[in-house]
Amino acid sequence: MKVEQKGNSTLIKNTQYNTAEFITKLSHEYNSFKDQNLIVDLSFDNDLQLEDVKSFSDLIKKHKKAKKSFVLVANDFDFNAVPNNITLVPSVLEAHDIIEMEEIERDLGF
């Protein structure tokens, strides 16, 4: 797991674990990231399935209650199959754009 801080967001890359192990590790270390907007890069996992993406739902729900953004990054994925409560984008750049837009929405009271 590789962690990079950039502005008001934290990029967490899954570099060695399968997705289930990664979620467990991220859940255990969640308290150190809870005050930041999170970008979770799953591009390392070439066998990423929809069920793997859905398994982030509890963490996403917890994070959004704290009024912070949680964006998943996966390339080569069927983005239309992802539930609406999960934000999944194809690149880290787009993830930063989503966070910027969500920050503006929160500042405006939406």
Side-chain angles (χ1 to χ4, degrees):
M1 188 162 91
K2 185 177 176 188
V3 179
E4 294 175 23
Q5 190 87 21
K6 182 179 179 188
N8 63 347
S9 61
T10 300
L11 172 64
I12 303 171
K13 290 184 180 183
N14 179 12
T15 55
Q16 65 192 51
Y17 305 102
N18 69 37
T19 302
E21 291 173 345
F22 178 67
I23 291 171
T24 302
K25 185 162 177 54
L26 185 59
S27 295
H28 287 294
E29 296 183 21
Y30 177 75
N31 284 337
S32 55
F33 306 121
K34 69 180 182 182
D35 296 328
Q36 291 286 317
N37 295 308
L38 293 180
I39 300 170
V40 178
D41 189 352
L42 303 172
S43 301
F44 172 77
D45 189 352
N46 293 328
D47 297 322
L48 189 67
Q49 302 294 316
L50 181 58
E51 291 305 312
D52 296 329
V53 171
K54 286 181 179 179
S55 60
F56 281 92
S57 289
D58 291 337
L59 270 177
I60 291 170
K61 198 179 300 180
K62 183 194 297 189
H63 206 66
K64 289 196 177 196
K65 275 186 183 178
K67 302 221 183 285
K68 294 294 179 185
S69 299
F70 193 110
V71 183
L72 298 174
V73 177
N75 49 5
D76 212 17
F77 199 83
D78 181 11
F79 297 96
N80 294 324
V82 178
N84 290 336
N85 64 324
I86 298 174
T87 305
L88 180 71
V89 295
S91 72
V92 173
L93 181 60
E94 281 187 65
H96 283 289
D97 290 345
I98 293 285
I99 287 174
E100 260 185 62
M101 287 190 304
E102 288 180 354
E103 285 282 316
I104 291 168
E105 287 175 358
R106 284 192 286 271
D107 288 344
L108 293 174
F110 291 104

